[in-house]
Amino acid sequence: GDMKIELIKKETEYKFDERWLCVEVWVTNTSNTPLFPVKLDALEDRTLSQASDNYFFLGVGEKRHIIINIRVKDPVLDAVTLNASAWNCTEKNISIRI
């Protein structure tokens, strides 16, 4: 299987002393087989992410809008890597500058 991640929008917010990156993406199944479970996560150490949906089924040709909030604990980090994976698909990464 194969999938595509497209960045729609990103915003950096500060909540008290914490830096958060809010990212909106489209995840599209570009293969001929359903993908499951599709999971999004930030790969950098010392981050915590919360997605609007995770571990979901993505049918052939289906596209899903996901919002993911990433707490960036490292004060000098200038980008995060958003990773999308499924058990029957090659992992995809996109780098998102903060």
Side-chain angles (χ1 to χ4, degrees):
D2 202 7
M3 71 175 118
K4 178 171 68 170
I5 311 172
E6 299 169 82
L7 178 64
I8 301 169
K9 182 175 139 182
K10 66 175 181 174
E11 284 182 9
T12 302
E13 298 178 349
Y14 292 87
K15 298 176 186 175
F16 303 102
D17 290 340
E18 295 180 339
R19 182 168 56 149
W20 287 78
L21 179 63
C22 179
V23 177
E24 289 186 47
V25 294
W26 283 110
V27 180
T28 306
N29 180 349
T30 57
S31 72
N32 294 326
T33 57
L35 301 178
F36 183 80
V38 178
K39 176 182 177 282
L40 294 174
D41 204 1
L43 295 183
E44 280 65 35
D45 289 339
R46 297 174 290 186
T47 62
L48 171 71
S49 61
Q50 302 160 342
S52 60
D53 199 355
N54 235 345
Y55 298 96
F56 55 88
F57 175 89
L58 199 59
V60 175
E62 189 178 354
K63 185 176 187 177
R64 177 126 1 153
H65 176 248
I66 304 292
I67 298 169
I68 186 165
N69 290 296
I70 304 162
R71 185 176 70 187
V72 185
K73 292 180 77 176
D74 184 343
V76 297
L77 197 64
D78 64 355
V80 296
T81 305
L82 187 61
N83 171 267
S85 62
W87 69 268
N88 60 341
C89 181
T90 304
E91 289 187 11
K92 294 292 179 184
N93 294 322
I94 60 169
S95 180
I96 301 169
R97 297 207 40 94
I98 298 174

